Amino acid sequence: MSAIGRGLKRRGRLMAQAVSPPRRVLDAMPSPRPAEHGYVAPRAPRLVESPVFVLSSVRSGSTLLRVLLNSHSRVRAPHEMHLRTVHVQLSREFTGDAMRELELDKEELEHVLWDRVLHLELTRSGKDVIVDKTPPNALIWPRLHRCWPGARFIVLLRHPAAVIESLTARRADPKSDEIHAEVLNYCEKLEEARTSLDAHVITYERLTADPEEVTRGVCAYLGIPWESRMLDYGSHDHGTFRPQLGDWSSEIKSGRIQAARQADPAAELPPRLAELARAWGYPAVGAPPRG
């Protein structure tokens, strides 16, 4: 009878899943860490104690910063790794109990896996600093900070109006309201990170205008010597430029640092985006930041 009861319970659960509409997994901004049966696992040792994360919006020059950093003899900055989409599934009812006995839970298992991926890539490269520049990392920066308390963060900003223009030009069927909402979501999280973390803040406009000065500042933040080879990124192998893994435009493939496209000076931003633009040193419409 016990076995029959378990079978009926499992069948009912599977039938409910089968008739339910597909659920969109919103893994961008994590909710407060859930406790399984009141249990939160302690932090396991990390193979990579101090990885580097570039926090930026989409269409903000993060691929350019990646290839400049990857050109350094000590820095490995691979394509976008999308760690936030790499999940662990505890597929049986007793799996959580088994992991608890090992002082692990679902979130910490994912953290261990993410850490192993970074360590594997770093080991393969033969370098000693690893950088992940996946833009949606900006949306989960609290979890990255929770996973790696010793992580370092580079906040890469771009004028919100320029980001909107770039996204609009890239989309096949751009919808203004959706693009504004997407950019605002990124900008809000970047502002949280900028004001909450001990991060190194740079702008895309300044990076393209004076790449030596900006990369020198980044190297100083990372505690490594600056190398002139960083500016000649076209002479180094950075892997394939392809969609979903970073920028794949002709500009990035050219191997040359090109000036950032400025926002239309006549562009109008929604009030909150205009407020954030001013907080970052930009006017409310397109122009390079002050200073």
Side-chain angles (χ1 to χ4, degrees):
M1 292 299 295
S2 176
I4 292 173
R6 288 196 301 271
L8 290 173
K9 181 180 179 181
R10 181 173 181 271
R11 175 172 291 185
R13 184 172 63 250
L14 293 175
M15 290 181 64
Q17 293 173 354
V19 300
S20 298
R23 293 188 303 168
R24 184 181 178 187
V25 178
L26 300 176
D27 57 2
M29 186 63 183
S31 58
R33 183 175 183 179
E36 298 175 2
H37 307 295
Y39 176 70
V40 175
R43 179 177 172 271
R46 299 289 186 255
L47 297 173
V48 181
E49 286 289 344
S50 187
V52 181
F53 295 97
V54 174
L55 305 181
S56 74
S57 168
V58 293
R59 310 305 302 157
S60 292
S62 61
T63 298
L64 174 62
L65 180 58
R66 172 184 89 80
V67 294
L68 293 174
L69 290 172
N70 195 52
S71 300
H72 195 287
S73 62
R74 290 180 54 187
V75 179
R76 176 58 177 151
H79 59 73
E80 296 175 7
M81 288 186 275
H82 298 286
L83 294 177
R84 83 194 195 289
T85 65
V86 178
H87 300 292
V88 169
Q89 180 180 359
L90 306 183
S91 60
R92 300 297 296 272
E93 294 179 1
F94 51 76
T95 310
D97 293 334
M99 292 300 100
R100 179 174 178 174
E101 291 299 312
L102 299 175
E103 296 190 330
L104 293 167
D105 59 13
K106 183 178 185 297
E107 180 169 286
E108 189 58 22
L109 279 166
E110 290 178 346
H111 290 173
V112 169
L113 177 57
W114 295 358
D115 179 61
R116 182 69 176 93
V117 170
L118 293 189
H119 183 261
L120 181 62
E121 180 63 21
L122 190 59
T123 301
R124 287 170 171 170
S125 72
K127 299 183 178 184
D128 61 275
V129 177
I130 189 160
V131 177
D132 181 13
K133 72 85 173 178
T134 310
N137 280 345
L139 307 178
I140 64 161
W141 70 263
R143 183 168 180 185
L144 295 174
H145 188 254
R146 189 162 70 240
C147 178
W148 289 279
R152 292 166 287 179
F153 295 90
I154 300 170
V155 174
L156 173 63
L157 305 175
R158 188 183 186 187
H159 196 300
V163 175
I164 289 171
E165 290 178 17
S166 182
L167 273 177
T168 301
R170 179 61 63 93
R171 300 279 168 84
D173 182 24
K175 294 179 174 58
S176 178
D177 290 347
E178 292 180 2
I179 290 176
H180 283 185
E182 180 179 353
V183 174
L184 178 60
N185 190 32
Y186 272 104
C187 290
E188 291 283 16
K189 298 302 181 279
L190 288 172
E191 179 64 3
E192 289 177 4
R194 186 182 74 90
T195 56
S196 302
L197 296 170
D198 183 19
H200 184 69
V201 182
I202 62 176
T203 69
Y204 176 50
E205 293 86 355
R206 190 63 181 167
L207 176 64
T208 60
D210 195 345
E212 180 175 340
E213 178 189 58
V214 173
T215 53
R216 281 185 180 274
V218 171
C219 287
Y221 172 70
L222 298 180
I224 57 177
W226 182 78
E227 295 178 355
S228 60
R229 57 182 276 166
M230 298 173 67
L231 305 183
D232 185 23
Y233 78 84
S235 299
H236 308 281
D237 180 16
H238 304 291
T240 303
F241 296 105
R242 49 168 288 192
Q244 280 74 56
L245 300 185
D247 187 11
W248 69 96
S249 66
S250 58
E251 287 85 355
I252 197 69
K253 291 179 180 178
S254 72
R256 296 180 291 104
I257 301 171
Q258 302 185 34
R261 296 179 182 178
Q262 303 298 331
D264 182 355
E268 294 186 5
L269 288 173
R272 178 54 179 163
L273 278 175
E275 180 183 354
L276 290 171
R278 287 190 292 268
W280 297 348
Y282 297 102
V285 294
R290 298 185 296 274

